[in-house]
């Protein structure tokens, strides 16, 4: 069964706006990772946040983690057309990674 | 530049055929994974391997088998392809460390398999 559920399923914004997507999960985690997938391609790792961290930044990306609510959010600031992609959260146990169903982001030029 | 490659980008097979999907990584990673991706269902783990000749079932192993004879290569086998195995198949690898779950996964470009 899927651990992560992203919300919204789809998001359409104008270039320059911020995009926020959320992920909820069900069980305890070691860390949570976010990945991007361009249309019809493999996934690319964006950022990892550990269970003892609350916020993390990487360039235009900001990730928050609330373990009490079992949720995470990914914020992309000043979005660009090139950010158009699907975004997935993934939680991991010892070996297995469990991916959510993804948020499809479309950034309009 | 690190790389995970998959043998085909697109593949069309007929029901009942035996299908081999190959994945090769050049990063000397111990762990390799096969997922299938379907609309609305996200990525689902089929099998993974944490060492040569070792394999573990994922969440949906039925109808699939795998082979890991060499560290860099992980093959997914559909013994008798069926139409419900039409999907995008993604291979990934990670380095094994004491805290493997902290490692990012590196993905191949995917194979879009259609079974007619």
């Amino acid at each position: 069964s899927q651990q992560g559920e992203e919300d919204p399923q789809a998001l359409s914004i104008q270039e320059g706006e911020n995009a926020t997507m959320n992920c909820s999960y069900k069980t305890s985690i070691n860390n949570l990772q976010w990945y991007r997938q361009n249309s019809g391609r493999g996934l690319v790792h964006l950022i990892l946040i550990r269970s003892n961290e609350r916020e993390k930044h990487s360039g235009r990306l900001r990730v928050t983690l609330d373990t009490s609510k079992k949720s995470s959010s990914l914020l992309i600031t000043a979005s660009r057309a090139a950010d158009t992609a699907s975004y997935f959260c993934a939680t991991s146990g010892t070996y297995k990674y469990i991916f959510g169903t993804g948020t499809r982001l479309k950034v309009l030029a | 530049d690190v790389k995970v490659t998959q043998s085909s980008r697109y593949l069309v097979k007929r029901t009942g055929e035996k299908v081999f999907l190959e994945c090769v990584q050049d990063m000397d990673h111990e762990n390799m994974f096969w997922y299938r991706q379907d609309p609305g269902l996200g990525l689902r783990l089929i099998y993974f391997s944490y060492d040569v000749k070792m394999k573990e079932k994922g969440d949906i192993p039925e109808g699939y088998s795998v082979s890991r004879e060499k560290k860099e290569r992980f093959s997914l086998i559909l013994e008798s392809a069926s139409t419900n195995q039409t999907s995008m198949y993604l291979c990934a690898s990670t380095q094994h460390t004491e805290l493997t779950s902290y490692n990012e996964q590196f993905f191949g470009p995917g194979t879009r398999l259609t079974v007619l």
Side-chain angles (χ1 to χ4, degrees):
Chain A
S1 63
Q2 290 298 314
Q3 165 90 303
E5 296 289 336
E6 283 91 344
D7 169 56
Q9 290 187 343
L11 181 60
S12 186
I13 60 173
Q14 295 292 323
E15 204 167 28
E17 293 181 341
N18 295 343
T20 300
M21 52 205 88
N22 304 295
C23 167
S24 60
Y25 57 92
K26 296 175 183 172
T27 61
S28 298
I29 60 171
N30 292 331
N31 64 73
L32 188 142
Q33 303 180 27
W34 284 90
Y35 288 80
R36 184 189 74 229
Q37 183 181 34
N38 291 92
S39 180
R41 308 295 295 184
L43 280 70
V44 174
H45 183 264
L46 294 175
I47 194 166
L48 177 153
I49 186 166
R50 299 176 184 232
S51 59
N52 61 354
E53 297 176 312
R54 291 296 165 259
E55 188 170 314
K56 198 161 184 182
H57 297 254
S58 176
R60 294 184 297 112
L61 305 180
R62 174 180 165 246
V63 171
T64 61
L65 179 64
D66 186 337
T67 53
S68 67
K69 294 181 179 178
K70 291 187 169 57
S71 68
S72 173
S73 68
L74 172 67
L75 168 68
I76 304 173
T77 60
S79 63
R80 305 165 182 169
D83 295 327
T84 293
S86 292
Y87 292 82
F88 295 85
C89 66
T91 56
S92 56
T94 305
Y95 286 110
K96 289 174 59 172
Y97 296 70
I98 302 173
F99 288 81
T101 52
T103 292
R104 294 188 312 279
L105 173 65
K106 188 169 185 178
V107 181
L108 304 169
Chain B
D1 203 12
V2 296
K3 213 167 231 188
V4 179
T5 56
Q6 293 182 230
S7 50
S8 305
R9 289 284 285 125
Y10 300 94
L11 207 54
V12 180
K13 295 292 182 180
R14 296 217 172 266
T15 302
E17 281 192 79
K18 190 168 186 175
V19 182
F20 293 87
L21 302 182
E22 303 282 337
C23 175
V24 178
Q25 50 95 3
D26 65 0
M27 296 166 280
D28 202 34
H29 285 170
E30 288 81 6
N31 303 330
M32 296 186 75
F33 305 78
W34 274 107
Y35 297 90
R36 63 177 283 175
Q37 183 178 23
D38 301 286
L41 297 177
L43 276 75
R44 293 180 290 167
L45 180 64
I46 304 171
Y47 268 97
F48 67 99
S49 168
Y50 52 89
D51 202 351
V52 175
K53 296 192 187 295
M54 305 301 289
K55 60 185 180 184
E56 292 284 340
K57 292 180 180 179
D59 298 316
I60 51 164
E62 297 78 19
Y64 303 94
S65 62
V66 290
S67 172
R68 183 119 183 252
E69 296 296 319
K70 293 184 178 180
K71 190 176 185 180
E72 67 271 17
R73 188 180 298 268
F74 191 34
S75 302
L76 179 69
I77 303 153
L78 287 66
E79 295 289 341
S80 178
S82 63
T83 55
N84 62 13
Q85 292 178 309
T86 290
S87 186
M88 168 74 104
Y89 289 88
L90 292 163
C91 175
S93 71
T94 66
Q95 183 183 13
H96 178 79
T97 60
E98 190 174 318
L99 295 173
T100 288
S101 64
Y102 285 85
N103 297 330
E104 67 176 279
Q105 290 202 305
F106 292 88
F107 281 84
T111 295
R112 188 167 293 282
L113 172 67
T114 301
V115 182
L116 302 175

